[in-house]
Amino acid sequence: MLYTKAPLIYSRGGIILRCISSLLSVTAFITFQVKIDKHDYSTTTDLAITYLLFATAVFLEFYAFSCLVLSDWTVIWLIDEGENALTGAIYSLIRKLTRSERWSRSISQYNLISSSFESEPHRCLELLGIDEMKRQMHVDRKDLNGELQGLIFEHLREKAQKIKEDLNMLI
């Protein structure tokens, strides 16, 4: 609930909109493949770019769907649905696919001093996105000590408790 898009994305309406979006992308690609006369395009470059854009759109829809299915919210929904054979099998499959370390026990630290001495990046670097890569050069990962880790965990626990209380007041 800390993310503003989560309640919409994981609602029934959000899932329906995701399915409609995916279906429309695939339908447009198939329609272009079957119905559109390819001789109307002046060059093969136009066709190549069109196919590339369609393939990218379908890939992005597939990627978004896989992120939706493999997310923690799906796991929480499966746990809430109770234990039957199907949800248990899906839950174990998702756990195997997403088995990764959740937290590296380190925190990012931005070095403001070194970045302030650096000159402004050239305009062409900004267009290529290299300026963002240069900004990341000033970020270091530092190991987190136990005291700070406990402080962060306690803060998140208080936030979760406040959200829980706010939801109970609404109901």
Side-chain angles (χ1 to χ4, degrees), residues 77-131:
W77 177 79
L78 286 172
I79 291 171
D80 286 345
E81 285 298 307
E83 283 297 319
N84 63 31
L86 180 62
T87 58
I90 294 171
Y91 175 73
S92 63
L93 176 68
I94 289 174
R95 274 298 187 216
K96 286 179 185 174
L97 290 174
T98 60
R99 187 178 302 189
S100 64
E101 185 77 22
R102 288 293 185 189
W103 189 29
S104 63
R105 302 215 183 327
S106 64
I107 192 166
S108 295
Q109 185 178 39
Y110 188 74
N111 191 339
L112 188 61
I113 295 174
S114 68
S115 69
S116 63
F117 286 121
E118 190 172 296
S119 63
E120 189 70 26
H122 196 267
R123 178 101 171 112
C124 66
L125 295 179
E126 289 180 19
L127 295 175
L128 296 174
I130 297 175
D131 63 325

Side-chain angles (χ1 to χ4, degrees), residues 22 25-26 52-66:
S22 301
S25 295
V26 172
L52 179 67
L53 290 173
F54 273 128
T56 304
V58 170
F59 171 76
L60 288 175
E61 290 292 338
F62 174 74
Y63 178 73
F65 178 75
S66 63

Side-chain angles (χ1 to χ4, degrees), residues 5-169:
K5 292 188 283 185
L8 175 65
I9 291 173
Y10 294 99
S11 67
R12 184 173 299 192
I15 293 171
I16 290 171
L17 287 175
R18 170 67 58 203
C19 292
I20 290 172
S21 172
S22 301
L23 186 65
L24 287 175
S25 295
V26 172
T27 304
F29 179 66
I30 292 172
T31 304
F32 180 78
Q33 183 69 27
V34 175
K35 296 281 186 183
I36 303 297
D37 186 21
K38 309 299 185 298
H39 300 293
D40 290 343
Y41 288 91
S42 59
T43 63
T44 56
T45 307
D46 293 340
L47 281 174
I49 290 172
T50 304
Y51 279 121
L52 179 67
L53 290 173
F54 273 128
T56 304
V58 170
F59 171 76
L60 288 175
E61 290 292 338
F62 174 74
Y63 178 73
F65 178 75
S66 63
C67 286
L68 182 76
V69 169
L70 298 176
S71 72
D72 291 336
W73 284 86
T74 305
V75 172
I76 291 170
W77 177 79
L78 286 172
I79 291 171
D80 286 345
E81 285 298 307
E83 283 297 319
N84 63 31
L86 180 62
T87 58
I90 294 171
Y91 175 73
S92 63
L93 176 68
I94 289 174
R95 274 298 187 216
K96 286 179 185 174
L97 290 174
T98 60
R99 187 178 302 189
S100 64
E101 185 77 22
R102 288 293 185 189
W103 189 29
S104 63
R105 302 215 183 327
S106 64
I107 192 166
S108 295
Q109 185 178 39
Y110 188 74
N111 191 339
L112 188 61
I113 295 174
S114 68
S115 69
S116 63
F117 286 121
E118 190 172 296
S119 63
E120 189 70 26
H122 196 267
R123 178 101 171 112
C124 66
L125 295 179
E126 289 180 19
L127 295 175
L128 296 174
I130 297 175
D131 63 325
E132 180 60 33
M133 289 175 26
K134 287 182 73 175
R135 267 192 291 267
Q136 290 299 319
M137 290 172 41
H138 302 289
V139 176
D140 295 325
R141 304 220 31 110
K142 301 288 183 187
D143 289 336
L144 205 59
N145 63 18
E147 183 179 320
L148 186 56
Q149 181 179 341
L151 183 67
I152 291 171
F153 187 72
E154 187 59 37
H155 181 73
L156 288 175
R157 185 182 302 188
E158 289 171 7
K159 288 275 192 192
Q161 185 64 32
K162 175 133 176 49
I163 289 172
K164 195 176 196 181
E165 290 170 2
D166 289 346
L167 286 176
N168 286 338
M169 289 177 67

